[in-house]
Amino acid sequence: VFVTGTAWGPSAAFGAVSVSWPETNRQYFARFDTNGTADLAVSFGGTNVWPWAAVADATGNVYVTGDFNGYASFGDKTIGAARYGGIGDAYYGQTFLAKFDRNGNSLWVRQAQSETPDSLVNVRDIHLASNGVWICGFVNYYGNFGTNLANRVYGPVTVVGSPFGYLYYYMG
């Protein structure tokens, strides 16, 4: 069993296994055996990161996706993007997808980023597919998923209501 999330404070403990970091909060990746005993914990991300979903494949690789602003670290890999829009101040405007092996080693990380200060690209779900993984989310205006325009999506989203709102999506 794999678990990912955000811990507030300098560390997180999972029974006898713990992980620490220098920031006030960070994300963790923990692995448990079938009896619920933790046998691994590693940190990733940064202070402006929200992991939203994770899925493991049959070989034990784990894919984690979420949103971030500024930078996020995954082992020896770091991604970065400017703080652009978000659905309110508590949410971030850029998206990541990271692959970990069963031992918590970061194999790769990809990002999708918005183009302008009033845009965002967010993710909320992930699923395994025969040809890799699929992430699902939304963009407001433009989101780039790579370096060429074939990997660009567009379409505005509007949040109506406060403090709780409804998302209205438009074709894109």
Side-chain angles (χ1 to χ4, degrees):
V1 176
F2 300 93
V3 175
T4 186
T6 296
W8 298 97
S11 64
F14 306 91
V17 177
S18 65
V19 63
S20 61
W21 43 81
E23 295 95 355
T24 57
N25 68 299
R26 201 150 230 248
Q27 293 64 47
Y28 56 82
F29 169 92
R31 184 182 70 207
F32 297 80
D33 66 18
T34 56
N35 295 316
T37 303
D39 56 14
L40 171 80
V42 297
S43 69
F44 70 91
T47 57
N48 295 313
V49 177
W50 284 114
W52 284 102
V55 65
D57 65 20
T59 61
N61 294 310
V62 177
Y63 301 88
V64 178
T65 190
D67 302 330
F68 78 101
N69 276 331
Y71 75 92
S73 297
F74 302 82
D76 61 350
K77 299 153 192 67
T78 301
I79 58 174
R83 164 112 171 80
Y84 282 162
I87 306 171
D89 292 335
Y91 296 96
Y92 305 124
Q94 317 298 348
T95 288
F96 71 86
L97 172 64
K99 180 180 181 181
F100 296 89
D101 68 14
R102 66 174 288 103
N103 296 314
N105 299 308
S106 174
L107 301 178
W108 52 256
V109 61
R110 305 291 186 266
Q111 72 185 67
Q113 66 186 75
S114 55
E115 294 180 356
T116 62
D118 59 347
S119 64
L120 60 93
V121 56
N122 288 156
V123 66
R124 292 299 182 265
D125 205 1
I126 185 171
H127 289 280
L128 290 174
S130 61
N131 60 346
V133 293
W134 288 77
I135 60 174
C136 178
F138 47 91
V139 299
N140 189 22
Y141 303 115
Y142 300 99
N144 290 322
F145 293 79
T147 57
N148 64 46
L149 291 180
N151 295 324
R152 184 182 200 214
V153 296
Y154 63 92
V157 61
T158 303
V159 179
V160 177
S162 178
F164 300 101
Y166 295 97
L167 292 174
Y168 289 91
Y169 301 92
Y170 304 92
M171 294 300 286

